[in-house]
Amino acid sequence: MEELEIEFKNLIEYAVYDRLRSTYFKEAEVITQTNFYIDTKNNAIQSHRIALRIRDTGDSLMMTLKVPQTVGTMEYHGTINPALLDEEVIDPAEIPDNIRQQLEERRIPVDSLYIVGALSTERREISYKGGLLVLDASRYLDAEDYELEYEVSDYDHGLEIFESFLNQQGITSRKPLNKIQRFYARHAMLTSKSL
């Protein structure tokens, strides 16, 4: 399966997160998910400016390859066997065909993939003006951050609505790196420190 994802993101402070959680998202179901980020030891996936993850929602495990486009991100999805998370190196035979094909086209060695680390998110979602407004609290390595997202099917209209919402709420625009980029930036900082 593949889909084009169009979303807008903004990092927010805890006080803003708490206010939105207790107003707009008061009745929203809490969804807990953990993303396991995958690469090779020499960062072959990152070097192609793409991202590979396994998302565990508690009900299912989905592997997703994210490939940035001019507008949005193309996502290639495939369900996987839960035993995959127990292995040190990912068995290439367990990688969904559509994802393996994309990796092989980029000459990324599928026999060298491993799980670098995890990021857990407590997510709340509500419908808002034709899109999906999302409030996230994420924890990874030794960091925690808060984010507001707006997922839409039309870029221009969605951007207008999202910017208007930020303005109405008095939220300073802080376009973040995406979760995967934030994870890897923190991972690089922690692993580059000399002891």
Side-chain angles (χ1 to χ4, degrees), residues 8-65:
F8 305 98
K9 300 169 178 275
N10 201 77
L11 279 180
I12 54 177
E13 299 296 328
Y14 177 78
V16 174
Y17 167 83
D18 192 44
R19 175 170 53 85
L20 294 175
R21 182 178 57 178
S22 61
T23 54
Y24 283 87
F25 295 87
K26 190 175 183 177
E27 304 298 322
E29 175 188 359
V30 177
I31 302 163
T32 301
Q33 58 192 30
T34 301
N35 292 339
F36 296 90
Y37 298 123
I38 302 166
D39 209 332
T40 63
K41 294 289 184 187
N42 64 351
N43 302 320
I45 290 179
Q46 287 182 71
S47 70
H48 280 82
R49 301 189 189 280
I50 60 176
L52 183 60
R53 70 157 190 237
I54 296 170
R55 175 168 285 169
D56 182 357
T57 61
D59 297 329
S60 67
L61 291 175
M62 180 74 67
M63 183 177 280
T64 300
L65 178 68

Side-chain angles (χ1 to χ4, degrees), residues 7-12 37 46 49 51 66 73 119 123 136 138 140 145-149 173-189:
E7 62 185 8
F8 305 98
K9 300 169 178 275
N10 201 77
L11 279 180
I12 54 177
Y37 298 123
Q46 287 182 71
R49 301 189 189 280
K66 292 177 161 258
T73 302
L119 178 149
R123 171 167 284 196
D136 283 346
S138 296
Y140 50 101
D145 61 41
Y146 308 94
E147 184 177 32
L148 185 66
E149 296 181 7
S173 180
R174 292 174 52 201
K175 185 178 183 334
L177 297 172
N178 63 41
K179 285 180 181 68
I180 294 170
Q181 292 167 327
R182 296 195 312 264
F183 170 86
Y184 279 119
R186 189 69 186 156
H187 183 269
M189 191 192 90

Side-chain angles (χ1 to χ4, degrees), residues 7 49 64 75 83 110 120-121 126 128 163-165 167 181:
E7 62 185 8
R49 301 189 189 280
T64 300
E75 296 188 344
V110 295
S120 291
T121 300
I126 59 168
Y128 183 78
E163 287 179 343
S164 176
F165 182 83
N167 200 21
Q181 292 167 327

Side-chain angles (χ1 to χ4, degrees), residues 49-147:
R49 301 189 189 280
I50 60 176
L52 183 60
R53 70 157 190 237
I54 296 170
R55 175 168 285 169
D56 182 357
T57 61
D59 297 329
S60 67
L61 291 175
M62 180 74 67
M63 183 177 280
T64 300
L65 178 68
K66 292 177 161 258
V67 180
Q69 307 293 300
T70 304
V71 174
T73 302
M74 185 60 70
E75 296 188 344
Y76 300 87
H77 304 288
T79 56
I80 59 163
N81 184 330
L84 193 64
L85 289 179
D86 297 331
E87 301 302 321
E88 188 171 327
V89 176
I90 292 176
D91 180 353
E94 296 291 329
I95 300 171
D97 292 340
N98 59 339
I99 294 173
R100 186 172 49 251
Q101 178 186 349
Q102 292 295 318
L103 295 173
E104 288 172 346
E105 283 177 10
R106 290 166 177 81
R107 298 179 188 227
I108 294 172
V110 295
D111 58 349
S112 301
L113 299 174
Y114 79 105
I115 296 173
V116 178
L119 178 149
S120 291
T121 300
E122 187 178 273
R123 171 167 284 196
R124 292 168 171 83
E125 303 174 341
I126 59 168
S127 294
Y128 183 78
K129 296 190 177 183
L132 187 68
L133 196 61
V134 179
L135 187 67
D136 283 346
S138 296
R139 291 164 189 82
Y140 50 101
L141 304 170
D142 64 346
E144 185 169 14
D145 61 41
Y146 308 94
E147 184 177 32

